Amino acid sequence: TCGRGRATGWCRGCPAPTRTILDRVSCKTTRVTLRLQLLLFQLLLALAVLAMAGFVWLATSTMVDRIARVHVSHQQVEAALELDGSFNRFSEQLAELLVFGPAGRAEQGPDLASARARVVADLDRLQRIGEAELATLDDPLEREAESIEAVRSVRLRQLFTDLESATDEILRLDKAG
C-alpha cells in the first residue's frame, strides 16, 4: 500500500505506486490533476474555436473586399461600354454635320452638343469609378497595376478634348468658307 493506505502502484503525491486506475483516481492529488487536465482541455478547445472563428472572420472580410472589387469592375466595364456608345453617337453626329453641313443638320436638331455632353458625362463617370476601384485596393502592387487605368482615363479625356478642338476648328473653317 502507499502512504495513504491504498494499493501499491504509482500515484502522484503518494510515495508508493498504486496498481489500478480507480485507486489512482481516488487519490486527492490525482483528482486535482484530472480537474486541471479537464480545464486545460476546455481551454484548448476554446482556443481552437476562437481560431476557427478568426479564420472565418478573415475569410469573410477578404471575400467581402473581393466582391466589392468585382462589383466596381463590373461598373467600370458598364461605364466603358456606355462611353463607347457615346463616342459612336458623337462621331456619327460629327460625320453628319461634316457631310450635310450645318444647314442639313439643322433639320434634325442640335444633336452634336448633346452627344458631346454625353461623352463628357461618361468620361467623368468612368474616372469616378476608376478612383473608387483604386480606393478598394490595399496592396500597393495592385494599386500600381490598376493606376494604369486611371492614366488611360486621363489620356482618353485629353484625346477627346483634342478632338473637340479639331471639330471646333473644322466648323469654324466651314463657316468661313
Side-chain angles (χ1 to χ4, degrees):
T1 64
C2 73
R4 296 187 181 177
R6 293 180 178 50
T8 57
W10 290 103
C11 175
R12 292 182 198 191
C14 295
T18 59
R19 291 183 190 231
T20 65
I21 293 177
L22 293 176
D23 289 337
R24 190 181 298 173
V25 170
S26 66
C27 180
K28 289 186 179 185
T29 57
T30 306
R31 268 192 264 155
V32 171
T33 303
L34 184 61
R35 284 183 189 159
L36 183 61
Q37 287 177 353
L38 289 174
L39 183 63
L40 288 175
F41 178 72
Q42 289 173 348
L43 181 65
L44 181 66
L45 189 62
L47 287 176
V49 168
L50 285 175
M52 286 188 286
F55 177 74
V56 168
W57 177 80
L58 181 65
T60 303
S61 65
T62 302
M63 289 307 294
V64 167
D65 292 343
R66 295 286 181 197
I67 289 171
R69 186 171 175 199
V70 167
H71 180 68
V72 170
S73 295
H74 282 257
Q75 287 178 336
Q76 194 172 25
V77 168
E78 181 182 311
L81 290 173
E82 287 180 15
L83 180 63
D84 180 53
S86 297
F87 268 124
N88 284 339
R89 182 170 173 233
F90 175 77
S91 64
E92 178 185 329
Q93 298 302 319
L94 180 60
E96 286 179 5
L97 182 65
L98 294 175
V99 170
F100 300 122
R105 258 321 280 146
E107 299 170 359
Q108 297 179 4
D111 282 337
L112 185 62
S114 66
R116 273 186 189 182
R118 187 68 207 162
V119 169
V120 170
D122 286 345
L123 282 170
D124 290 340
R125 181 172 179 239
L126 184 64
Q127 189 170 3
R128 277 193 318 271
I129 291 172
E131 290 169 358
E133 184 179 20
L134 281 176
T136 62
L137 300 177
D138 294 330
D139 185 22
L141 294 175
E142 287 180 348
R143 278 181 161 271
E144 184 178 330
E146 291 296 326
S147 67
I148 293 170
E149 290 182 23
V151 170
R152 287 181 184 156
S153 178
V154 169
R155 179 68 182 136
L156 195 57
R157 183 177 294 279
Q158 181 62 42
L159 288 173
F160 182 69
T161 303
D162 293 345
L163 181 63
E164 280 186 306
S165 299
T167 301
D168 292 341
E169 182 67 21
I170 289 171
L171 293 175
R172 188 185 62 75
L173 290 174
D174 189 44
K175 279 185 180 179

